[in-house]
Every structure is written in C-alpha cells, then in structure tokens.
Amino acid sequence: MAEMMKKATRQSYGEALVELAKTNPKVVVLDADLAHATQTIMFKEVCPERFFNAGIAENNMIGVAAGLSTCGYIPFASTFAMFAAGRSYDQVRNMLGYPHNNVKICATHAGISVGEDGATHQCNEDIALMRVIPGLVVMNPADDTEAKACIKAAVDYQGPVYIRLGRMACPIFNDPETYKFEMGKGVQLKEGTDVTIVATGLMVYEAIVAAEKLAEEGISAAVVNIHTIKSLDSEIIVKNAAKTGCVVTAEEHSIIGGLGSAVAEALAEGCPVPMVRLGVNDEFGHSGPAGALLKEFGLTADNIVAKAKEAIAKKK
Amino acid sequence: MNQADKKQLIAMATEIRKGAVEAVHSAKSGHPGGSLSASDILTYLYFKGMNIDPQDPKNPDRDRLVLSKGHVCPGYYSTLAHRGYFSTEELKGFRQIGYMLQGHPDMKKIPGVDFSAGSLGQGVSAACGMALAGKLDNKDYNVFAICGDGEIQEGQIWEAAMFAGAKKLDNLCVFVDNNNLQIDGTVEEVNSPYPIDAKFAAFNFHVITIDGHDFDQIEAAVEEFKTVSGKPTAIIAKTVKGKGVSFMENNVGWHGKAPNDEQYEIAMNDLNAILAEVK
C-alpha cells in the first residue's frame, strides 16, 4: 500500500474544535492542564473566551462541564483517557450519564500507543468503563477523517458522548471527500467469505493491511470498522459472522470489556461462531516508543493475520 | 425582617419539616437528620432569597440551587412541594417504585430540581458550571449550593472551591450545613474539616458565619452575598442536626433512619407545638 498521510486523532480534534469555534457559539471547551497535549489549545487560540482551564482537577472539570450543559452550552471536556474514564468515572456516571447531560468527553492518549509515559498513562480499560454506563455513546475513530466525523456527530447528538483519541500519528485511509459516517453504524471496508476482522481505532488500518496479506495467501477476509462501540452495530457483525463463520476482533485496549467483549456478546446472542480476540492481554503496559510497544503487544497486521488463521482453524 | 414575615417563614419551615419526616416515615427509609438541619436555609431560599417561579421551573434567567448533600432530599422535596413545584401528596411516594421522588434528587424526573445529586462532593462543581454559564451569557442570576460539613471531606469540593475562587464566580454562594454530625460520629471524631471558614477564605471566598436557624441572619448573609463582587461567597451555617424533633436533635443515630409509628407521632407533636407557638 502506498505511503499515506498520517495524523494523530488528537490533532484532528484540535482542528475540529477550531471549526466549531467559528460555527457553533454554544460550544465551550474545558481542559485539565493538558491543553497542549490534547490539542484544545488550538481552540483557546481562536476562542479564548469560551475556553476554561480547570487545572489539574479532572473531577471538577467534568462537574463544571455538566453544570454548563444544563444552561444550554455544549461542553467539550478533555484530558487523557486514564483520567477522564478512570479517575472521573463516578463524575461521568453520575453527573453526565445518569442525568443524560449534553457533555462531550474527548479523551486523548488512550491505549498503549501513549508510549514512553508508561503504564500509569496507558489506559487500556476506558472502553470497558465507559460502555457500561447507560446512555453514554462511546466512539473510537480510526483516523483523521473519522475523528472529525465523530466530533461533528457528537455535536448533533443530544446527550453524553465519550470519544477515544490517540497520541500517535496514524494513516489517513478514509477519503474526507467520500467518507460517509453514521453514529452507531459499522463500516464494511471489505467483503469476505473466510473470516471477519472487526476492528476499532488505530487497529482498523492494521486490519485492512492484514486482509490484503490474507488475500495474498488465498484467504478472503471481511473487514468491519466499528467506530461506535456503543451503541454497537450488532447487525453488521452478525451478518458478517454468518457469512464467514468466524471472527477476529482487533483493538488497542484490554481484551476484557472492550470491542472484543462487545462483539462476543453480540455473537453469543446473534450468531455464535468461533472467535479470537486480539488486544492488550490482561496486563499493564510499560515505557517505550509507541511503535515498538504496538509490535511487542502484538497489535499489528501480521498478528491479525495469525489470529485470523487461528479463528479459521477453530471452524473445523 | 419584620416579625410577621419571620413568623411566616418559621411556620413554613415547620410545615416543611413535617413533610420531610412524613416522607421518611412513609418510605421507612431516608435521611431525616440533615433534612431538618437544612430546612431553614431551604425555606429562606425558596420562599424569599431566590428568584424562581414554580410555574416556570426551567426559566433560563432563574436562580439555581444544587443540593450537593443530595441525601437530605426529604427536606428539599418538601420545600419544593410546599413552594408549588408539585403536590405535597407526592411526598408519600418518596423512595417508592412508580413515584418520581427518588432516594436522591433526579433533575430529569422532578420539577424544580436543578441538578441530580447523591454521590457526595460533586454539587459545587455543577454549581460552578451554572455560574460560569451565567457569566458567559451576561445574565444576573445567582447559583446556590448546599453542602454538608461531612461532605466537605470530599476532595472534589476543594477542586470546585479553587475553581470558583480562581474564576471569580461572585454569582455563586455555597452554604455549608454545619450540623457537626456525620454517619460515624461528630465531624471532629471522624476527620475534622475545621476550620471551615478559614479553608474557604484561603480559596478566595468571601466567608460569612451564621446561625443557620435564624432567619434574620440567613437573610443578612444572602443579601451580603448579593453585594460581593469578584469572589464567591461561602455561608457557614451553624445548625442542629434533627432540628425541631426532640429525640433527633444532635443525635448521630438519626442521620439515615426512619422513625417508627410511635416516634412519628412524637415528631409531629414536637413540630405542631412549634407551629402553635408561632401562630
């Protein structure tokens, strides 16, 4: 595949906020002393009067966002995924989820690809924590194009949203001119007959590459991009599982509670077929360059190929 | 405040206390002690201090109140009911399946509830957000929050206090219902929050300490808050947990327990005696 333009989805977020600063006077942005990392600084630069720094106090930031939302504002609240979903779980559940307040949490630096900061900052559990909260939409975009579409959809949606964003630059494989995004609908990137690869976030591009490698070996892999983990598009997953007879999930998140679990739940009830979950196993990460960590933890196209073969073998 | 107005407020606060005890008795669960300590503050705010209209509970220009110590909702619900947001008959359905009055305040289900609460320590943050929105919109509404003196052991209260002070939210007024008791004992025994006034002052609040059962003092403090510019206000209200019900007053056991039928009768007699005295 030709070399693609790359961009981190946190950068996409900053750019999307700059657009929103111009077009939506109800959008306000809050950060917890990470504006240069989350890229909310881009909003502050063009719209300082609607930017609020809560300092290193994430729980209060979520609460202030909740209060603002009751007065008609659309707050975007940002910090690292570890602190948004982890530290502030109670605030997200009780101040946003339960009252269904119209706050958009854009959590950056999710997953192992945080890299050098190590295990305390590599949140591999946020999808699990967020998707169990009733009424909270959970999205995990795969590239720049999709991240911007997620943010636009979040503004249009009345209610709380959690968007998972990354630190590392990722290939931009969706064409912004033609890409059609619908919240809660999976994207069929490739049809296949032997195995279905269901992926989310930065693993979607790896899944596309894996499908090409599998094709070279005569294996036909379907590829489904699940950008919205909740509400999950069970239909597209069941349909592909029925056609291919086995499923591999791929995510930069713990195999417990994330996409793999969500897909397993959908399949158990809708179309029980053999499946293999690829993600971070039940362990913490550690420091290192992001790319090297992704390889070490097996979050690569090559490993998706291996898992696809495992899944196919389970069919027999 | 003239004597007639004060008598009216005392009578209303007593009716509100009766409603709170009735709700807890009928639910056979709930939190009477803190409901009774906060009743005079709630009564003053909803019947005099706040610019609100029960017929238009979502009016964007209204004053707002966040009951951060959400468990004392029997007193809050009774106040809202007596103010006309909903029927006092609803109090009998408190904590019951099929009724709207949840065990902790629910802004989606209950008219007049400006923010949901229950998990302690969160309400001042929400109130800060509302106050900030008021500033952004150039509106002159005020936002009140009521915290418990045990509740301020929660760290988020101080995150919110730092924010309110730093952002100069002078349209925010935080009441601390300082009844000195929490579930496991006195606040000093458990984990002392004292000095409360100096803490808020250190977070750049204008601080006023009052007797939280004296309507003159409550009114003077709220009027003072309305004149303060450039900083939020904290009103430390010295109160008696279980106020008005003889066997509940200053008794740690009545934080979260319902009176039995006999105790209910005593409580009603105590409160009716106050009413008779006022009238």
Side-chain angles (χ1 to χ4, degrees), chain B residues 203-220:
Chain B
F203 283 84
N204 294 317
F205 275 64
H206 177 69
V207 182
I208 309 165
T209 300
I210 60 166
D211 174 347
H213 300 306
D214 180 330
F215 282 108
D216 285 320
Q217 292 191 36
I218 299 172
E219 178 163 79

Side-chain angles (χ1 to χ4, degrees), chain A residues 26 28 30 49-50 52-71 73 87 90-91 94-96 98-101, chain B residues 62 64 102 104-109 114-116 119-120 122-134 136-137 141 156 159-161 163 167:
Chain A
K26 286 296 175 188
V28 292
L30 297 101
E49 67 280 9
R50 281 188 276 142
F52 303 100
N53 208 324
I56 309 166
E58 297 79 10
N59 297 342
N60 181 56
M61 175 181 73
I62 299 293
V64 171
L68 280 159
S69 75
T70 68
C71 300
Y73 283 97
R87 188 196 301 272
D90 184 348
Q91 287 73 20
N94 285 318
M95 304 189 80
L96 306 185
Y98 177 48
H100 206 69
N101 279 326
Chain B
R62 74 190 186 283
R64 288 151 172 86
Q102 298 298 297
H104 290 84
D106 183 327
M107 63 190 279
K108 293 290 172 187
K109 291 195 172 84
D114 291 316
F115 204 84
S116 301
S119 183
L120 289 175
Q122 301 180 346
V124 181
S125 299
C128 282
M130 295 171 185
L132 196 55
L136 275 171
D137 291 336
Y141 65 74
Q156 190 182 342
E159 291 185 8
F163 185 90
K167 311 299 183 198

Side-chain angles (χ1 to χ4, degrees), chain A residues 171-254:
Chain A
I172 305 172
F173 63 89
N174 285 304
D175 180 350
E177 298 300 320
T178 58
Y179 180 64
K180 285 194 172 52
F181 177 90
E182 192 180 343
M183 198 169 88
K185 290 285 178 202
V187 183
Q188 187 89 40
L189 290 169
K190 183 177 171 301
E191 296 283 350
T193 52
D194 297 325
V195 60
T196 301
I197 306 167
V198 182
T200 190
L202 60 74
M203 292 305 285
V204 176
Y205 180 71
E206 298 301 313
I208 295 168
V209 174
E212 285 173 5
K213 291 187 176 195
L214 286 163
E216 286 166 15
E217 298 184 46
I219 297 169
S220 166
V223 179
V224 176
N225 169 12
I226 295 293
H227 48 65
T228 310
I229 291 163
K230 189 178 185 181
S231 301
L232 184 71
D233 184 355
S234 299
E235 200 177 307
I236 197 171
I237 292 164
V238 165
K239 191 181 78 183
N240 277 274
K243 190 172 166 190
T244 61
C246 68
V247 171
V248 173
T249 55
E251 62 193 307
E252 189 207 7
H253 182 276
S254 171

Side-chain angles (χ1 to χ4, degrees), chain B residues 42-107:
Chain B
L42 285 165
T43 301
Y44 178 77
L45 290 175
Y46 277 95
F47 286 83
K48 196 135 194 259
M50 293 205 312
N51 173 31
I52 43 112
D53 176 4
Q55 303 310 311
D56 189 10
K58 296 282 181 196
N59 188 316
D61 296 328
R62 74 190 186 283
D63 286 346
R64 288 151 172 86
L65 184 137
V66 181
L67 184 71
S68 192
K69 49 179 297 187
H71 57 280
V72 308
C73 55
Y76 181 40
Y77 294 159
S78 184
T79 306
L80 294 175
H82 281 94
R83 188 66 178 85
Y85 285 92
F86 48 82
S87 161
T88 52
E89 281 299 299
E90 289 284 347
L91 297 172
K92 292 174 186 156
F94 176 51
R95 291 185 163 227
Q96 303 301 312
I97 291 171
Y99 292 87
M100 74 173 179
L101 297 182
Q102 298 298 297
H104 290 84
D106 183 327
M107 63 190 279

